[in-house]
Amino acid sequence: MSRVGAAVLAGAREYRRTPVLLALFVVLPLYAVVVFRAATPDASVTLHLDSTVTTSMDAVMVSVMTPMAGALLAGIAGLFLTRSAADADGRLVLAGVRPGEMILARLGLLAGVSALGTGVAVAASLFTFDPVQPGWFVAGALLVALIYGMLGVAVGTVLSRLAGVYVLLFGPMVDVFLYQNPLGTETPAVAALLPAHYPLDVAMNAAFTGGADPGTFALGVGYLLAVAGLATAVLARTLR
Amino acid sequence: MSRLTAATRAHARSFVRDPVNLAFLFVFPPVVVQVYGQAMERFPELSLGSDPGTVGSIAGTLFATAFVAGLIGLFQLLSARRGDERLLIAGFGRSSLLASRLVTLVAATLVVAAVSLTVLSLGTDVAAPGLAYAALVAGGLTYGLIGVLVGTLLPRDLEGSLVLVFLADMDSALSSGVMAVDTAVADVLPLHHPHAAFSEAVTEGSIAAGDARAVVAYLLVLLAAAFFAHRWVAGDGGERA
């Protein structure tokens, strides 16, 4: 097995040994998708996407909360992977593992956790919600999770575990639920700068209009590459 | 200096030594009040007949106060687990220790409620500031005591914090009127009556007697539960994992 593969497996084992992280795989989709869906009234609402759409309130809630659940899971995972691995990774580098291999292993594991978290959230949502373009909806939701996962890595290098968790809980909640929510009639200027802006636009149009825009998705990928570069830089600094 | 004063001072010093606590007291409420207000202005369909920015600001003010007070309650209880049994052995009375924890919780809640209400009043006309402050403090104490109970059942900082975040967030969403929920469960959530009382005080200048009674009754029940929780944690001088 390659050193990168071994490091990914070791990280996954460490992740598995942290009960709170495993519990979040169940609790977050339940909380964000199932509970909110149950509490949402039967009502029709108008969405202001690339075209104006009238749909049910519960479909909107589920479609917004699904990417949010993935973002919460990935952000907290990024934070924990960074904080729990800092000491051990430094020793592995001293033992001869290249820093690039360690960073690749950490970010690879994070990508896997993000995909798994998004998959669980999407699976929970599909019981009550049927997106027009499921593939693009999942892609948008996954992109939100990956971006927040990378931000979790960066946050993990500057904040304590508890403070970082608060930032990574309230950040996606405010960004996804308040600023990117398609129920809003206008988009504030700050919303376009926030991490979930482009991926949510893709996911919401995929969910309700069938008009997901590959150009917007590409902008989201660009945002991801930028925050991945930031995460790589801060991880590299911890391995020096 | 009485033992109550000494214990309260020690808890307060311990609290303010952590920069995260200070950030929650003085930075978190202004950010939440502003963000909720600005963001909710985008949702005219959810305003339920009121100005959406005001609905959002009121919800944010109560949420910030309740959540921060809940965290303080949680950490007071966790701190009690670590230290109060030793103080009992050293001769402090159980009632003094509980009272010192509660005084610290009340003092912090008074501060965070004052910060939150000040920020709200910068952008919203508060019809009856005194009543609004009382309702806000009551909402904060409600969650402060819930934090104590969460700390009893789940004595870990991270896990307890997560429970409080999700509980307060869901409670705020369902109690604030932002979502016209169709479940009766919303009526018995901890923030339901504090939100009604706070909203009435801000917008109408009075509080319905029924809401005031419900808030007080909720607090008394939680206070009794917190007493038993503290007794369980520090009651016999033995460590409870």
Side-chain angles (χ1 to χ4, degrees), chain A residues 63-231:
Chain A
S63 69
V64 171
M65 298 304 274
T66 300
M68 198 181 86
L72 292 170
L73 274 169
I76 293 172
L79 171 82
F80 272 78
L81 288 175
T82 305
R83 294 202 63 80
S84 65
D87 293 341
D89 287 359
R91 283 194 288 273
L92 284 171
V93 169
L94 281 177
V97 179
R98 284 194 290 272
E101 291 175 321
M102 288 310 307
I103 292 170
L104 189 60
R106 289 298 163 201
L107 297 188
L109 178 60
L110 181 58
V113 171
S114 301
L116 188 58
T118 302
V120 172
V122 168
S125 73
L126 291 181
F127 284 104
T128 56
F129 167 61
D130 191 15
V132 179
Q133 294 176 302
W136 277 111
F137 178 73
V138 172
L142 178 59
L143 197 50
V144 179
L146 288 170
I147 289 173
Y148 269 102
M150 297 300 165
L151 287 173
V153 170
V155 168
T157 60
V158 293
L159 291 180
S160 68
R161 187 183 67 151
L162 212 49
V165 165
Y166 297 142
V167 168
L168 290 163
L169 282 171
F170 289 113
M173 284 180 182
V174 169
D175 180 10
V176 175
F177 193 74
L178 295 181
Y179 280 106
Q180 314 299 343
N181 197 315
L183 288 168
T185 51
E186 58 187 53
T187 304
V190 68
L193 302 173
L194 296 176
H197 180 67
Y198 297 114
L200 248 287
D201 186 274
V202 170
M204 293 302 102
N205 276 294
F208 298 109
T209 70
D213 178 17
T216 307
F217 187 78
L219 287 172
V221 172
Y223 202 112
L224 170 63
L225 291 175
V227 293
L230 175 68

Side-chain angles (χ1 to χ4, degrees), chain B residues 23 43 52 65 77 86 105-106 113 117-118 124 128 139 152 171 177 179 201 208-209 231 238:
Chain B
F43 303 124
T65 305
L77 198 283
R86 294 189 189 95
L105 173 60
V106 170
L117 187 60
T118 301
T124 303
T152 308
D171 190 357
M179 289 182 8
R231 187 185 175 93

Side-chain angles (χ1 to χ4, degrees), chain B residues 40-66:
Chain B
M40 288 309 296
E41 285 175 356
R42 300 178 57 236
F43 303 124
E45 289 193 54
L46 302 180
S47 64
L48 304 176
S50 304
D51 170 56
T54 303
V55 171
S57 295
I58 289 173
T61 303
L62 185 59
F63 171 75
T65 305

Side-chain angles (χ1 to χ4, degrees), chain A residues 20 24 28 31 35-36 38-42 44-46 48 57 61 80 160-163 165-166 169-170 173-174 177-181 183-188, chain B residues 20 24 28 32 34-36 38-46 63 67 71 74-75 157-159 161-162 165-167 169-170 173-174 178-183:
Chain A
V20 67
L24 285 176
L28 271 175
Y31 164 77
V35 176
F36 261 87
T40 305
D42 292 328
S44 292
V45 288
T46 302
H48 307 277
M57 176 71 106
M61 279 297 160
F80 272 78
S160 68
R161 187 183 67 151
L162 212 49
V165 165
Y166 297 142
L169 282 171
F170 289 113
M173 284 180 182
V174 169
F177 193 74
L178 295 181
Y179 280 106
Q180 314 299 343
N181 197 315
L183 288 168
T185 51
E186 58 187 53
T187 304
Chain B
V20 174
F24 267 111
F28 182 75
V32 170
Q34 290 297 318
V35 166
Y36 269 53
Q38 288 176 10
M40 288 309 296
E41 285 175 356
R42 300 178 57 236
F43 303 124
E45 289 193 54
L46 302 180
F63 171 75
F67 175 65
L71 278 186
L74 169 71
F75 287 114
D157 54 4
L158 176 63
E159 289 81 350
S161 301
L162 288 172
V165 168
F166 295 129
L167 184 61
D169 186 54
M170 173 64 74
L174 299 186
V178 169
M179 289 182 8
V181 293
D182 55 6
T183 169

